[in-house]
Amino acid sequence: MSMDIAALLYDALPGLYRDQDTRGELRAFLTLTAEPLAELYDSVATLRDDLYAATCRPEFIALVGSLVGAEVDTGAPDREQRAQVLDSLRSYRDKGTADEQLRRAERISGWLVHLVDGSDRLVRLPLLNDPDRGPDRPVTVDVRDLDAIHRIGRVDDDVPYTVDVSSPRHATDRVGRANHDAQIFFCVPAVVHTGRRPARLPAAPVAFTFADHDDGEFSLLDGFEGSPLTRAALAADLAAFAGTRRGFAFRIRGTDSGAPVVATDLSDPSDPRRLDGEPLIFVGTEVAVDPETGRFLADLAALGTRDGEFTVDYLRATDPDPAAEVRTFAGLTAGLARAVPAATVAVVTDARIHRSNPAAVLLSSNDA
């Protein structure tokens, strides 16, 4: 509520002076004097409002957002800036779990993402937006190494490329000092197909393609390395790929079929072969998979199901356009600021650049 400071000052004067102010010169003088006092009073009165994104002055919206880890587009209208902060606050209530962070990252990118908690480990990963990144360049420091953190931004800083933490976005702000939470998002540029009805192939009554229509041969992907899944790799470690997010799954009415999987060569679906080149003796209670052609053999009757009840989950390569991948990574890094809780380090990396097992990239604190 605004207050008439000039009238307040005038009324506070002894009546003797007010009576002698017949021409109003004293009142006019106090009116001029009251202007800066009125501005100061109004500023103090708005301090409480300035604490909240919904009521603060427009020039403070980005500042309030930075305090809660929200990135604000200062070029957007005031109403949109306030919405960006408020949406971030509301989302913090349900995004603290790793599963929710993983789902959000996959929705943002449309790719397969593996999430690893690196809060108590030294992580050596290149930041996506670091133009000088290299496979051997350390980009984060152990949050318990206070000496290293104090050197950030100084001439003796041996870790010049540090992880971005919500906001501010500069290493010299030393935002890592108070941070004890790190989430590493290993991204695999792969389209995730779930709950798809496979298409039958005319070559054999039990032959299928993973896709919902026969568009020729295609390779399934290794969901850790992002590389084509080979018959030999599948045969060497069936448990790593069959029924997992890393590979593929067969479901009956939405539940894992439980059928054993064997690796096979289905270059000619009417003449299935074992990996040694000998003819395959197909057992109806098994599913014979050829990851290099995207085909499999399944006797639905022997598995106790039928068309419409039998579905598949699998991974397939994305658009090979490198520019499209760069755009997706850029969108993911920008979106993760609102996809993870405040004060969480979000490291985004391409799983294809590193080792096949994301956990192997993390060094234990004893190795640091």
Side-chain angles (χ1 to χ4, degrees), residues 125-325:
L125 295 172
L127 281 178
L128 180 68
N129 58 356
D130 177 6
D132 301 316
R133 66 185 183 275
D136 300 323
R137 199 70 177 267
V139 296
T140 68
V141 296
D142 190 338
V143 295
R144 294 162 298 184
D145 188 352
L146 296 181
D147 289 336
I149 292 174
H150 278 290
R151 289 197 303 271
I152 292 177
R154 296 190 335 199
V155 294
D156 58 342
D157 179 10
D158 56 356
V159 187
Y161 300 103
T162 56
V163 70
D164 284 342
V165 184
S166 298
S167 183
R169 306 298 263 180
H170 302 290
T172 52
D173 293 327
R174 297 182 180 178
V175 288
R177 184 181 304 176
N179 185 80
H180 299 279
D181 214 1
Q183 300 295 338
I184 299 87
F185 294 82
F186 291 87
C187 303
V188 182
V191 179
V192 182
H193 296 281
T194 58
R196 299 301 181 92
R197 294 182 181 181
R200 286 184 178 271
L201 298 175
V206 294
F208 293 83
T209 175
F210 275 87
D212 51 13
H213 62 283
D214 184 8
D215 59 355
E217 298 183 8
F218 68 92
S219 177
L220 303 184
L221 292 185
D222 180 333
F224 277 173
E225 297 181 350
S227 59
L229 178 57
T230 64
R231 300 175 185 121
L234 175 60
D237 196 354
L238 288 168
F241 299 99
T244 70
R245 281 170 49 87
R246 181 179 179 179
F248 53 85
F250 299 103
R251 304 189 185 280
I252 298 176
R253 294 181 292 276
T255 303
D256 191 285
S257 67
V261 171
V262 295
T264 187
D265 182 350
L266 294 177
S267 300
D268 181 357
S270 63
D271 184 23
R273 296 280 171 168
R274 299 188 318 193
L275 300 194
D276 60 6
E278 294 297 318
L280 173 72
I281 301 177
F282 176 62
V283 178
T285 55
E286 296 178 335
V287 179
V289 177
D290 183 354
E292 297 183 21
T293 62
R295 297 167 178 166
F296 65 92
L297 303 179
D299 186 340
L300 301 190
L303 295 176
T305 186
R306 56 187 178 181
D307 286 333
E309 296 180 342
F310 187 79
T311 59
V312 294
D313 302 344
Y314 64 99
L315 306 175
R316 192 167 180 175
T318 62
D319 186 341
D321 180 10
E325 287 191 1

Side-chain angles (χ1 to χ4, degrees), residues 9 47 88 95 99 113 118 152 185 195 201 205 263 274 286 304 329:
L9 292 176
L47 287 179
S88 297
K95 72 181 182 186
D99 288 344
V113 178
I152 292 177
F185 294 82
L201 298 175
R274 299 188 318 193
E286 296 178 335
F329 267 115

Side-chain angles (χ1 to χ4, degrees), residues 90-102:
R90 282 190 287 267
S91 66
Y92 291 160
R93 298 189 179 101
D94 62 358
K95 72 181 182 186
T97 64
D99 288 344
E100 180 60 23
Q101 294 179 39
L102 176 62

Side-chain angles (χ1 to χ4, degrees), residues 6 8 19 26 29 42 77 100 153 190 212 236 307:
L8 182 65
D19 293 342
L26 180 58
F29 172 75
D42 291 340
E100 180 60 23
D212 51 13
D307 286 333

Side-chain angles (χ1 to χ4, degrees), residues 66-86:
S66 70
L67 296 177
V68 296
E71 288 191 344
V72 177
D73 180 4
T74 55
D78 296 347
R79 181 172 56 82
E80 176 62 22
Q81 293 184 45
R82 297 184 197 277
Q84 291 171 6
V85 178
L86 296 175

